[in-house]
Amino acid sequence: MQYDVVVVGGGPSGATAALDLVNSGHRVALLDREGRIKPCGGAIPPRLMQDFGITDDQLLAKVNTARMISPTGRMVDIPIENGFVGMVDRKDFDPFLRARAAEAGADYFTGTFVRIKRPEGTPVVVYRDKATQEERELPCKLVIGADGAKSRVGLAEVKDADKVPLVFAYHEIIKAPPKSEIYDPKRCDVIYDGSISPDFYGWVFPHGDSASVGMGTELSSVNLKQATAALREASGLTDCETIRKEGAPIPLRPLDRWDNGKDVLLAGDAAGVVAPSSGEGIYYAMVGGRVAATACAATLASGRVKDLRLARQLFMREHKMVFRVLGSMQNAYYRSDERRERFVSLCHDIDVQRLTFEAYMNKKLVRARPMAHLKIGIKNLAHLTGLVATTRV
């Protein structure tokens, strides 16, 4: 059987692409190696739930407050007005997405991608079956590589796929402690402290009966497990039972090209679509899967391989400005503890708080209050130039 599309990787991006393609009448194979759980805080906005049909029963918690913690321990609590942040555990969320795609009609295979060959000009995905360890083949017309950062599909097929910078993330899922002054099951804690991460941040995110405690860094010299142990100690979570531990690279910017110009297209982390500054990836991965499905459907209908470029064009048209602003913020504030201190100080501002979470909920820069944007720009400049004291409360 020849498939229209073989999707390699069954995370949020690949599973979304497979579902959309099946729903548009295409023959789809979804290949996933299973058994791998990506380190992830698990935060998803209501926009994701609306756009991708995710219901409340997939949520482990609904967060209503974000706490920003500075290097000196200053805490700024930001209420999430008119909404919430949903929390999922990738251990359960990813299999749910794969099962949903399979139930819709995608043929699901478990195994590891090996290579793509083209004996008759069209691609054949070769994979190693998980149960038998034998090599098997999936003939197709197009391939979507949604197999994560350092994508094996991308490295083999797409120019410069190896040049995207990476943050190395690590987290530990722990048994959640009772609610207290230091832990709230409806609050996400984001820790901006160079002793935890010299160039990114640490987090404590509630997952109902459990919690994700982790950090990320681009620096290979940082010991991720030691840094996470220090974070747990600082957060009063050292004595909590550890349920599991996970680590993986996370891309820092979208690739300049997502396709190979003939029959392969990348999506999700493989294409580098993780938001700078926040490291948010689930929503953007699912959007990446959707635009990949759109581009493949267009290519199959038209026969024009240039239509594969639609995936990146559609994604960047909608999200380029947000990524640019978040990237500038990371470059400006994550350089030193003095800068991180100023960033948390800036978070006191009510305009910053409101526009930040409006943008998070809606996934676009809010233009409804131009004067607020102007005020934020002025305040941002004042903090970066040192005109505002970091001791401000």
Side-chain angles (χ1 to χ4, degrees), residues 170 172 196 213 215 223-235 237-238:
Y170 174 81
E172 297 178 358
I196 302 298
V213 184
M215 50 77 64
N223 187 307
L224 305 182
K225 293 183 178 181
Q226 288 182 3
T228 302
L231 172 58
R232 288 181 62 169
E233 182 176 3
S235 304
L237 302 172
T238 300

Side-chain angles (χ1 to χ4, degrees), residues 23 41 62 95 107 110-111 117 125 129 136 201 244 259 282 303 322 335 352 362 376:
N23 286 340
K62 288 186 176 181
D107 289 341
T110 305
K117 62 181 186 178
V125 173
D129 182 81
R136 296 185 177 176
Y201 65 84
R244 65 179 200 267
D259 68 276
I282 300 177
V322 171
R335 295 180 181 179
V352 172
N362 300 311
I376 289 172

Side-chain angles (χ1 to χ4, degrees), residues 229-280:
L231 172 58
R232 288 181 62 169
E233 182 176 3
S235 304
L237 302 172
T238 300
D239 294 334
C240 295
E241 177 187 348
T242 301
I243 299 172
R244 65 179 200 267
K245 305 175 181 181
E246 293 138 9
I250 297 173
L252 281 178
R253 64 171 176 80
L255 292 173
D256 294 331
R257 180 161 186 165
W258 294 6
D259 68 276
N260 69 348
K262 51 184 178 181
D263 52 22
V264 173
L265 176 63
L266 302 181
D269 278 14
V273 293
V274 174
S277 179
S278 67
E280 182 191 356

Side-chain angles (χ1 to χ4, degrees), residues 30-34 108-112 127-131:
L30 176 60
L31 171 66
D32 189 77
R33 63 183 183 178
E34 286 195 349
Y108 182 59
F109 300 90
T110 305
T112 304
Y127 73 99
R128 182 169 291 105
D129 182 81
K130 184 174 182 179

Side-chain angles (χ1 to χ4, degrees), residues 35-52:
R36 174 185 177 276
I37 306 170
K38 182 182 175 182
C40 178
I44 62 172
R47 170 75 185 271
L48 180 152
M49 299 178 70
Q50 295 163 8
D51 288 357
F52 298 100

Side-chain angles (χ1 to χ4, degrees), residues 169-355:
Y170 174 81
H171 80 159
E172 297 178 358
I173 298 294
I174 64 170
K175 185 175 180 180
K179 181 178 179 180
S180 66
E181 292 183 4
I182 61 174
Y183 180 81
D184 187 333
K186 292 188 176 182
R187 187 188 72 222
C188 286
D189 292 355
V190 184
I191 299 90
Y192 297 99
D193 185 344
S195 66
I196 302 298
S197 172
D199 59 341
F200 209 58
Y201 65 84
W203 69 81
V204 178
F205 285 1
H207 285 182
D209 293 336
S210 62
S212 166
V213 184
M215 50 77 64
T217 179
E218 193 177 352
L219 305 178
S220 59
S221 59
V222 175
N223 187 307
L224 305 182
K225 293 183 178 181
Q226 288 182 3
T228 302
L231 172 58
R232 288 181 62 169
E233 182 176 3
S235 304
L237 302 172
T238 300
D239 294 334
C240 295
E241 177 187 348
T242 301
I243 299 172
R244 65 179 200 267
K245 305 175 181 181
E246 293 138 9
I250 297 173
L252 281 178
R253 64 171 176 80
L255 292 173
D256 294 331
R257 180 161 186 165
W258 294 6
D259 68 276
N260 69 348
K262 51 184 178 181
D263 52 22
V264 173
L265 176 63
L266 302 181
D269 278 14
V273 293
V274 174
S277 179
S278 67
E280 182 191 356
I282 300 177
Y283 173 77
Y284 294 110
M286 295 180 78
V287 171
R290 175 150 291 171
V291 296
T294 300
C296 285
T299 302
L300 291 167
S302 70
R304 298 188 302 259
V305 294
K306 69 178 184 179
D307 286 347
L308 291 175
R309 302 176 196 168
L310 282 172
R312 191 179 192 280
Q313 291 169 2
L314 291 170
F315 185 93
M316 299 306 284
R317 183 184 303 164
E318 181 73 14
H319 302 290
K320 177 173 67 175
M321 186 56 67
V322 171
F323 273 48
R324 182 176 295 171
V325 169
L326 291 174
S328 297
M329 187 170 71
Q330 180 173 334
N331 291 335
Y333 284 110
Y334 287 15
R335 295 180 181 179
S336 67
D337 273 356
E338 193 274 336
R339 288 286 183 95
R340 283 184 274 268
E341 198 73 39
R342 291 189 178 280
F343 174 69
V344 174
S345 180
L346 182 64
C347 290
H348 279 282
D349 189 273
I350 190 65
D351 288 320
V352 172
Q353 294 180 10
R354 285 176 176 168
L355 287 179

